Amino acid sequence: MRPDTADTPQFSPRQNEVLEQALRLLVEGGDKALTTSGLARAASCSKESLYKWFGDRDGVLAAMIAYQASKVRTADRSGEKLTEQVLKQYLEQFGRDLLEVLGGDVSLALNRLAIGQTSRDGSKLGKLLVEHGRRQIDRRAMALMEAGKRASLLRFENADAAYHTFYGLVVSDLHVRMLLGEPGLKDNSRQAERAVEAFLALHGVEQKTADALRVSAGR
């Protein structure tokens, strides 16, 4: 089972290095520091390579956002049977990664920049963040939700609604507060564990019930 693979961008190690440099430039110098010329110098590559890999500046931004989103993992152990314990581990991993990425300097810089552009240029960066960041994360997380339902480990009528309940339990108002300058959590793991406990209390299937459902489905 690998819900991660379908929507996770596949960048080469060299491209990852370039994207890391692009993210560094953005955090250190803001929007104006991120130019193709500046990135080519910082990453020791040609502008032609940048255009070949990512297209124009918007393509670089989209790749940066997708690269950041790929750091929020859902499931990556191929062939592993989805059990109650494994699902819990995946959900906790997702929660920890999500909090770490959202609270990192890069994501905060990208979001603050997008917010600052909402009255200019039709908030192009905001649209890129939604399409290449949030939606990528959402799709992979909902694939995990559906896998949990198929394994009779989760119960819900709508995967999107169940996922956004979980997202809210993990993030709460933390991201808004961090965007306003408050420090992040000292312990992302504990926050993720509490969120998973609450989510499974709402949407989890008791083991005995799950076993009965599997037996019934096998008849």
Side-chain angles (χ1 to χ4, degrees), residues 19-189:
L19 292 173
E20 286 287 356
Q21 287 297 320
L23 293 168
R24 182 185 63 79
L25 288 174
L26 181 72
V27 171
E28 293 180 356
D31 186 33
K32 293 181 180 179
L34 185 60
T35 64
T36 52
S37 297
L39 178 55
R41 286 194 300 272
S44 299
C45 69
S46 66
K47 291 175 66 174
E48 288 74 19
S49 293
L50 292 179
Y51 290 126
K52 178 181 177 181
W53 292 335
F54 310 116
D56 58 11
R57 185 174 180 276
D58 286 348
V60 173
L61 281 168
M64 290 164 59
I65 294 164
Y67 176 63
Q68 276 295 99
S70 71
K71 297 176 183 179
V72 182
R73 298 162 294 172
T74 50
D76 56 10
R77 285 174 278 188
S78 181
E80 184 172 25
K81 181 181 178 182
L82 189 63
T83 64
E84 184 178 17
Q85 184 59 34
V86 171
L87 176 64
K88 187 171 183 289
Q89 290 173 1
Y90 285 157
L91 291 172
E92 288 178 357
Q93 173 182 274
F94 174 87
R96 289 192 303 272
D97 288 354
L98 182 64
L99 289 168
E100 184 174 343
V101 169
L102 289 180
D105 290 341
V106 169
S107 290
L108 291 175
L110 282 167
N111 279 276
R112 286 171 180 151
L113 183 59
I115 292 169
Q117 292 179 351
T118 53
S119 61
R120 307 193 309 271
D121 302 326
S123 190
K124 184 182 292 184
L125 178 57
K127 292 177 182 177
L128 290 172
L129 279 168
V130 170
E131 180 58 37
H132 298 279
R134 179 64 186 269
R135 285 180 183 163
Q136 181 193 131
I137 293 171
D138 291 354
R139 283 192 292 267
R140 290 185 285 117
M142 282 190 282
L144 177 59
M145 298 284 168
E146 293 285 9
K149 184 177 182 179
R150 288 194 300 272
S152 301
L153 299 172
L154 296 175
R155 50 184 167 79
F156 52 79
E157 292 185 4
N158 184 284
D160 182 77
Y163 163 64
H164 282 92
T165 295
F166 180 53
Y167 188 99
L169 289 168
V170 173
V171 178
S172 183
D173 65 343
L174 290 168
H175 195 216
V176 172
R177 285 158 46 196
M178 286 186 284
L179 285 170
L180 293 174
E182 287 192 20
L185 295 173
K186 293 182 179 179
D187 189 354
N188 288 336
S189 294

Side-chain angles (χ1 to χ4, degrees), residues 1-10 74-76 78 140:
M1 175 197 155
R2 296 190 66 172
D4 262 352
T5 55
D7 291 302
T8 302
Q10 300 297 316
T74 50
D76 56 10
S78 181
R140 290 185 285 117

